[in-house]
Amino acid sequence: MKKIMLSLAMVSVTFAFAQKKEINAAFKAIEAGDVAAAKTQVSAAEALIGANTSSVDPALLEKLYYAKGIALLKSGNIGEGASTLAKINGLKTSKFTPTLAGKIGGTISPIVQASNKAAMDAYNAKNYTVAGPKFREVYDLLRAAGQDNKQYLYYSAITYALAEDKANAINAYNDLINSGYTGVETKYFAKNKKSGAVEELDKTSWDLMKKTANGDYTDFKTETSKSIEEELYETNASLMLDAGKYDDAIALAAKGLQKFPKNIKLGEVQGLAYYKSGKTDQFLASLKAQVEKNPQDKVSWYNLGVLASKDPSKTEEALRYFTKTVELDPNYGPAYQNMTYLLMDLDNDSKYIDQYNALRKAQKSAEANKIMEARRARFAKALPYAEKWYAAEPNNIDAVSLLKGLYQTTRNEAKFQEFKAKEAAMQKK
């Protein structure tokens, strides 16, 4: 056993030596400008290391990432090169500080400028599929040089979302949220005594000028931007919901609601994620919690009505929820639509028609007429809500068609003809 352990130790030492040899060779090759040789040595080193980089000395990993990243950049693979170089920044710990950032800065400066121009040009042209990765390139390149400017990561997140690239957008927003980024930024201004112009200064210069008696500047002011942290949670939770990542959306919304308990959007996203994932009980509980915190949240009141309307024994409860919705927003068409359907008892209407026809066939006219009278009474009761639905959504052909039928059933010939004509006109469009 002792001999075997010694052999394993020798293998480990030999393996580590081989890694070090290949990485140092790659580093020397890229320093000498030999991109092809650097790529060969990088591939050899990566084959030895495999997926487990935790056992490799951070100083060696820094050289590996540097050699690979620079080789990729010089080969024209800017995106992968940038992300590889950015890994260097992630090696920093209390025991290790990367030392190659200065060397990277000189190499990447023109590439950063070119990538930033390409990103801005693409964004202004609304070519978001190009702009998103380019903004990410700028962020990764700057991070590799030691400048963790998350403004560019934020730009990439927004642009990925505009490009409907939900996977990359979600990843970028996750990075922003997990880093604690808020977007809060302070700018420093002072008035130049000679020119009279207000100039933006860096903080060090601003502090120095402010302390200088009878200096060249006066009227020192600062401007601090608002936090966008709440927006980050809202947007990312919505992206997760749209991407079908319901559990992720629920978890992120819950995290966001701990920070922003009165945020209506996060409550809506969480509720919809519960609903779409089939977690109806949790959806109901989240809606009730939402309206308790935000009594003005019309959408949650409406959704409570929708849930209640699915249970025939809760019709009155559903109507109360829908009534609360339109009290908050008198033009909320979907609530009037649902109230109309509930009062008409549309789910059972075909059954009542069948009963009516059966009684007529059996020559039981009195009983048949009672069914029709009851139906007409229900429709008359629903009519005002259908009219409010139409008032809220005058271009909705479903509302027009329903009103046409209601006016016919309630024997309002003039209105029936009016809405029959409206329906015909809309169908021609």
Side-chain angles (χ1 to χ4, degrees):
M1 179 65 72
K2 194 170 185 179
K3 184 178 180 181
I4 294 172
M5 292 297 291
L6 180 61
S7 298
L8 288 172
M10 288 297 293
V11 168
S12 177
V13 169
T14 303
F15 194 63
F17 178 78
Q19 290 176 354
K20 184 175 182 179
K21 180 182 176 183
E22 299 292 357
I23 291 172
N24 281 330
F27 182 75
K28 288 178 181 178
I30 202 65
E31 286 286 86
D34 191 342
V35 175
K39 285 184 173 180
T40 300
Q41 299 297 337
V42 165
S43 295
E46 288 183 329
L48 289 169
I49 295 169
N52 183 20
T53 59
S54 60
S55 61
V56 183
D57 184 273
L60 282 176
L61 273 181
E62 182 185 16
K63 286 184 175 181
L64 176 63
Y65 293 150
Y66 174 84
K68 182 178 180 179
I70 297 298
L72 286 165
L73 291 182
K74 291 188 174 182
S75 300
N77 193 339
I78 308 301
E80 189 179 352
S83 61
T84 299
L85 289 172
K87 292 179 181 179
I88 293 174
N89 193 53
L91 297 173
K92 186 175 182 179
T93 65
S94 59
K95 295 181 179 179
F96 176 75
T97 300
T99 60
L100 297 176
K103 295 174 71 68
I104 292 171
T107 303
I108 68 170
S109 181
I111 301 173
V112 170
Q113 292 179 27
S115 292
N116 188 46
K117 184 179 185 306
M120 291 303 301
D121 288 347
Y123 183 85
N124 290 331
K126 298 185 178 180
N127 189 354
Y128 302 126
T129 56
V130 171
K134 282 295 177 183
F135 279 128
R136 182 75 198 214
E137 276 180 18
V138 174
Y139 170 69
D140 285 339
L141 288 166
L142 290 173
R143 192 156 66 102
Q147 299 177 44
D148 195 356
N149 188 339
K150 288 191 170 58
Q151 189 73 29
Y152 284 99
L153 181 58
Y154 177 57
Y155 292 157
S156 76
I158 293 173
T159 315
Y160 278 131
L162 289 170
E164 294 294 323
D165 185 348
K166 291 184 174 62
N168 278 314
I170 289 168
N171 287 337
Y173 275 109
N174 278 339
D175 288 345
L176 288 166
I177 290 169
N178 293 335
S179 71
Y181 178 72
T182 64
V184 174
E185 188 179 49
T186 301
K187 293 184 177 181
Y188 302 86
F189 301 93
K191 186 176 181 180
N192 187 313
K193 288 181 179 179
K194 293 180 180 178
S195 67
V198 175
E199 299 177 6
E200 183 178 353
L201 306 172
D202 62 82
K203 186 177 187 305
T204 302
S205 299
W206 189 84
D207 285 335
L208 180 62
M209 298 296 182
K210 192 175 182 181
K211 292 176 182 177
T212 304
N214 300 318
D216 295 331
Y217 288 86
T218 184
D219 296 340
F220 294 90
K221 295 178 182 178
T222 61
E223 290 181 6
T224 302
S225 59
K226 292 182 180 179
S227 172
I228 60 167
E229 188 178 16
E230 195 167 0
E231 174 207 313
L232 299 180
Y233 278 95
E234 288 179 0
T235 305
N236 203 24
S238 296
L239 287 167
M240 290 172 173
L241 179 68
D242 291 343
K245 296 178 174 291
Y246 302 131
D247 289 342
D248 290 345
I250 290 166
L252 184 64
K255 182 180 176 182
L257 285 167
Q258 287 182 338
K259 285 177 169 280
F260 312 104
K262 291 189 176 182
N263 186 290
I264 293 176
K265 180 67 175 178
L266 286 173
E268 289 177 7
V269 169
Q270 186 182 54
L272 285 172
Y274 278 134
Y275 180 70
K276 290 188 175 185
S277 59
K279 299 175 180 178
T280 308
D281 290 342
Q282 291 95 323
F283 181 34
L284 180 61
S286 73
L287 290 174
K288 289 183 175 179
Q290 190 69 4
V291 296
E292 186 175 344
K293 288 185 293 186
N294 303 294
Q296 306 301 308
D297 181 2
K298 66 183 180 187
V299 175
S300 290
W301 284 112
Y302 171 76
N303 285 330
L304 282 169
V306 171
L307 282 183
S309 68
K310 296 181 182 299
D311 185 342
S313 68
K314 294 183 178 179
T315 297
E316 292 301 319
E317 182 180 342
L319 287 170
R320 287 198 299 273
Y321 289 138
F322 290 135
T323 299
K324 180 66 177 177
T325 303
V326 295
E327 284 175 357
L328 293 170
D329 182 357
N331 294 312
Y332 201 81
Y336 291 121
Q337 179 182 2
N338 278 276
M339 294 169 86
T340 303
Y341 290 163
L342 279 173
L343 290 168
M344 290 173 67
D345 196 10
L346 278 186
D347 289 342
N348 296 306
D349 195 51
S350 60
K351 180 182 72 175
Y352 297 134
I353 295 296
D354 290 342
Q355 288 176 352
Y356 171 79
N357 289 330
L359 288 167
R360 291 281 294 177
K361 189 175 182 180
Q363 297 184 345
K364 296 181 180 180
S365 300
E367 293 179 44
N369 289 338
K370 285 182 180 179
I371 289 176
M372 192 53 65
E373 287 169 6
R375 183 174 186 262
R376 196 172 290 120
R378 288 196 302 275
F379 283 20
K381 188 175 181 180
L383 180 58
Y385 298 98
E387 290 173 333
K388 289 179 180 178
W389 176 22
Y390 170 72
E393 300 177 1
N395 296 318
N396 189 324
I397 193 170
D398 291 333
V400 171
S401 298
L402 183 71
L403 270 172
K404 181 196 74 172
L406 284 173
Y407 286 131
Q408 184 179 36
T409 302
T410 55
R411 299 174 178 172
N412 188 333
E413 184 63 20
K415 281 291 186 181
F416 167 68
Q417 292 298 336
E418 177 188 340
F419 276 79
K420 182 180 178 181
K422 285 180 186 289
E423 181 187 51
M426 293 173 79
Q427 287 172 339
K428 287 180 181 178
K429 291 182 179 179

